[in-house]
Every structure is written in structure tokens, then in C-alpha cells.
């Protein structure tokens, strides 16, 4: 298919097993953001939502702090992409 953007699923490297739980949690909390200002700018992600799920899934998470850091790292990367796209408009 010439000149067509490939589906995102075709562009993403497969997840390592060690990152699957962090990704699953990210999918559940990605819309739980703290907004600020008159324009509703994203400030952060709600940590209590992340920790609630980490606590619920503690039997599947060998290192809770490491899992939390992975989720926040993903959030920051996605936020930066969104910020750059918004800034370029």
C-alpha cells in the first residue's frame, strides 16, 4: 500500500514479558490525568490510580517500585509527544 501510513501495531516492537503488567496497568490508567489552567493542560498522571492497581495485582508484580517507574516513564513519553504535537499547531 503505497503512501499509506502503516497501522501502529505494525510499527511497535513486541513487549518483553517483564513489561506486560506495566503496560496493562498503563492502559487502564492512561486517562487518569491531573489537568490545570484554563485550557486544561495536562500536568501529571494520578499516582494513586497506578498504586491502586499495583496493590491489586501485587501477586503478579515482583518489584512494585520498578513497575511504577515504568508506568510513569511511559506517561512522560506519551505526554511529551502530545505536547510537541499541540505546540506545533
Amino acid at each position: 500500500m503505497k503512501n499509506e501510513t502503516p497501522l501502529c501495531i505494525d510499527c511497535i516492537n513486541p513487549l518483553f514479558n517483564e513489561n506486560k503488567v506495566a503496560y496493562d496497568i498503563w492502559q487502564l490508567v492512561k486517562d487518569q490525568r491531573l489537568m490545570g489552567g484554563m485550557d486544561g493542560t495536562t500536568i501529571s498522571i494520578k499516582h494513586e490510580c497506578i498504586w491502586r492497581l499495583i496493590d491489586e495485582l501485587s501477586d503478579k508484580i515482583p518489584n512494585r517500585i520498578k513497575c511504577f517507574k515504568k508506568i510513569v516513564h511511559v506517561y512522560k513519553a506519551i505526554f511529551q509527544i502530545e505536547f510537541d504535537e499541540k505546540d506545533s499547531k
Side-chain angles (χ1 to χ4, degrees):
M1 296 183 279
K2 283 188 175 181
N3 299 326
E4 289 187 22
T5 306
L7 297 172
C8 286
I9 197 70
D10 297 331
C11 302
I12 308 173
N13 292 326
L15 285 173
F16 291 116
N17 284 338
E18 66 194 41
N19 296 329
K20 180 154 179 15
V21 173
Y23 177 78
D24 290 344
I25 292 173
W26 162 251
Q27 286 295 314
L28 293 169
V29 301
K30 66 184 177 184
D31 61 341
Q32 298 297 312
R33 299 176 182 206
L34 295 172
M35 311 299 267
M38 296 298 285
D39 62 350
T41 302
T42 299
I43 298 172
S44 185
I45 191 166
K46 296 178 182 177
H47 292 188
E48 58 273 3
C49 299
I50 297 170
W51 281 111
R52 174 72 187 259
L53 286 169
I54 288 174
D55 289 343
E56 298 262 338
L57 300 169
S58 61
D59 59 325
K60 297 179 182 179
I61 303 172
N63 186 330
R64 296 163 29 112
I65 300 291
K66 187 175 181 180
C67 183
F68 175 78
K69 287 180 179 180
K70 286 179 185 181
I71 295 163
V72 172
H73 182 73
V74 169
Y75 159 75
K76 287 180 181 180
I78 298 295
F79 172 74
Q80 188 62 51
I81 291 168
E82 290 174 353
F83 181 79
D84 291 345
E85 287 176 356
K86 185 178 179 182
D87 195 39
S88 68
K89 291 181 181 180

